Amino acid sequence: MPGSAPVGSLVNVLALGQLGIGKLHRYDEIGRAVVHFGGEGTKILAPKTPIVRVRLSATTPVLFLTQAGETLPSEVLEFLSEREDGGFVYTVASGEAVHDVWEGHIMPDGESNDPLQLLKAYRWDPPKSYMTRWSMADLYARWYAASGGFPAMLGARIVPLGHQIYSARRVLFDRPPRFILADEVGLGKTIEAGLIVQALQAESNDFRVLVVAPGSMSRQWLAETYLRFGARAYNHIDCKRMIEESRASIASIVDAPRVIVATTAFEAHADLVSLVTNRCWDMVVVDEAHQIPRAALSTPSSSGSPNRQTGC
């Protein structure tokens, strides 16, 4: 916008505020302002880009270009006057010398680590770190809003029903370590347990989970936990594997962080019961718990934080 500020004046371009104060060098043949930003280089502004005149305050550090072509570090003492062409005149001090200087011969000195001086020189960095933190907090809030306060649910390959979400939240938001999920057949108790496990595993990569399920159901758990809940691989132990594997191999499998054991393997191999119950687990899930004879399996130990046991 020709004429909005005189050539040589100090200006602030609102669209380039992070560059600080610039000096209006000239207007080109089509009226675009050419502004120099010190160490940031020269910018050609788009037509109608807003430009704001800058009036320096006292004590602002500046670089003063003398008639001899020497650049001296100086400080603004006061605003003196405005010339007929609209240019500002300042009184600046360089050492013990005092000069009345047209703004075209000075430039704010942004090479300082003093925050106050940088503000006076209209030099500051854009809030990149703040905006990054704000964006992350906003995304986190959106996760909670979209999941009803249960963000781990968003990673599950399911469409949970309302009662399943309620049950999972009830377990996760309460301090007692033992729960029984006792919905009617077909209402998705396995989904509820999977949501709970996934949420707790999201808090800790080495979260230790033991799932005890009836023979054929144990393989269904193996498939469901991988396909629907985070693609985390579980180790599976059933009667066939107890026969094929050595005891050392079985012991190493039990030491894994995620294990599914068929109840038939427990009933047929007392040493497996001993291996599992001597291990500390962060969470134990027992499927069809009402069908397991009390004498068939001692309660596996569960310790750590969070410390939970869930029966389906």
Side-chain angles (χ1 to χ4, degrees), residues 151-153 195-207 232:
M153 181 191 71
L195 286 171
I196 295 166
V197 172
Q198 175 165 299
L200 295 175
Q201 285 179 327
E203 299 177 4
S204 174
N205 289 330
D206 58 354
F207 190 77
R232 291 183 172 90

Side-chain angles (χ1 to χ4, degrees), residues 285-296:
V285 180
V286 182
D287 194 10
E288 301 293 339
H290 60 285
Q291 296 185 12
I292 299 178
R294 293 178 60 88

Side-chain angles (χ1 to χ4, degrees), residues 94-155:
S94 178
E96 297 181 356
V98 177
H99 308 271
D100 295 339
V101 182
W102 170 54
E103 63 180 329
H105 291 157
I106 60 176
M107 191 70 181
D109 183 7
E111 303 302 322
S112 171
N113 293 324
D114 184 350
L116 181 59
Q117 295 301 326
L118 289 173
L119 286 173
K120 288 181 177 180
Y122 290 80
R123 292 297 302 272
W124 53 80
D125 293 327
K128 293 181 180 179
S129 297
Y130 167 79
M131 294 306 297
T132 300
R133 292 194 300 271
W134 183 87
S135 297
M136 187 61 196
D138 180 64
L139 178 60
Y140 200 63
R142 289 174 182 270
W143 284 345
Y144 266 83
S147 63
F150 193 8
M153 181 191 71
L154 299 178

Side-chain angles (χ1 to χ4, degrees), residues 39-282:
E40 303 295 338
T42 300
K43 307 292 183 182
I44 300 177
L45 307 182
K48 299 183 179 181
T49 299
I51 297 176
V52 179
R53 292 289 304 277
V54 172
R55 181 165 168 172
L56 302 179
S57 59
T59 72
T60 299
V62 295
L63 297 176
F64 165 42
L65 180 63
T66 67
Q67 292 182 349
E70 184 180 4
T71 301
L72 301 177
S74 308
E75 183 179 278
V76 173
L77 297 180
E78 61 177 345
F79 172 79
L80 187 61
S81 62
E82 182 176 347
R83 304 194 319 185
E84 291 183 0
D85 63 359
F88 294 160
V89 178
Y90 296 90
T91 300
V92 302
S94 178
E96 297 181 356
V98 177
H99 308 271
D100 295 339
V101 182
W102 170 54
E103 63 180 329
H105 291 157
I106 60 176
M107 191 70 181
D109 183 7
E111 303 302 322
S112 171
N113 293 324
D114 184 350
L116 181 59
Q117 295 301 326
L118 289 173
L119 286 173
K120 288 181 177 180
Y122 290 80
R123 292 297 302 272
W124 53 80
D125 293 327
K128 293 181 180 179
S129 297
Y130 167 79
M131 294 306 297
T132 300
R133 292 194 300 271
W134 183 87
S135 297
M136 187 61 196
D138 180 64
L139 178 60
Y140 200 63
R142 289 174 182 270
W143 284 345
Y144 266 83
S147 63
F150 193 8
M153 181 191 71
L154 299 178
R157 297 177 179 177
I158 58 171
V159 180
L161 301 177
H163 73 278
Q164 294 171 335
I165 297 175
Y166 174 82
S167 297
R169 285 168 57 92
R170 176 68 177 84
V171 174
L172 292 169
F173 293 178
D174 202 73
R175 295 184 64 85
R178 291 176 173 84
F179 290 84
I180 297 177
L181 306 179
D183 295 334
E184 293 291 337
V185 175
L187 290 184
K189 297 185 291 297
T190 303
I191 296 296
E192 294 169 3
L195 286 171
I196 295 166
V197 172
Q198 175 165 299
L200 295 175
Q201 285 179 327
E203 299 177 4
S204 174
N205 289 330
D206 58 354
F207 190 77
R208 297 161 298 182
V209 182
L210 170 66
V211 178
V212 180
S216 61
M217 293 294 294
S218 65
R219 290 194 173 276
Q220 180 179 337
W221 268 93
L222 184 66
E224 294 286 327
T225 52
Y226 185 83
L227 295 176
R228 297 182 183 272
F229 299 104
R232 291 183 172 90
Y234 279 69
N235 288 275
H236 179 245
I237 301 176
D238 58 6
C239 286
K240 181 180 179 181
R241 192 162 195 178
M242 289 296 298
I243 295 172
E244 294 175 349
E245 301 276 354
S246 67
R247 289 300 173 262
S249 177
I250 294 296
S252 66
I253 293 173
V254 171
D255 282 337
R258 295 176 293 275
V259 179
I260 298 173
V261 181
T263 54
T264 51
F266 277 131
E267 294 170 356
H269 301 275
D271 54 339
L272 178 59
V273 175
S274 177
L275 283 174
V276 171
T277 56
N278 288 334
R279 172 95 190 278
C280 291
W281 303 93
D282 293 309

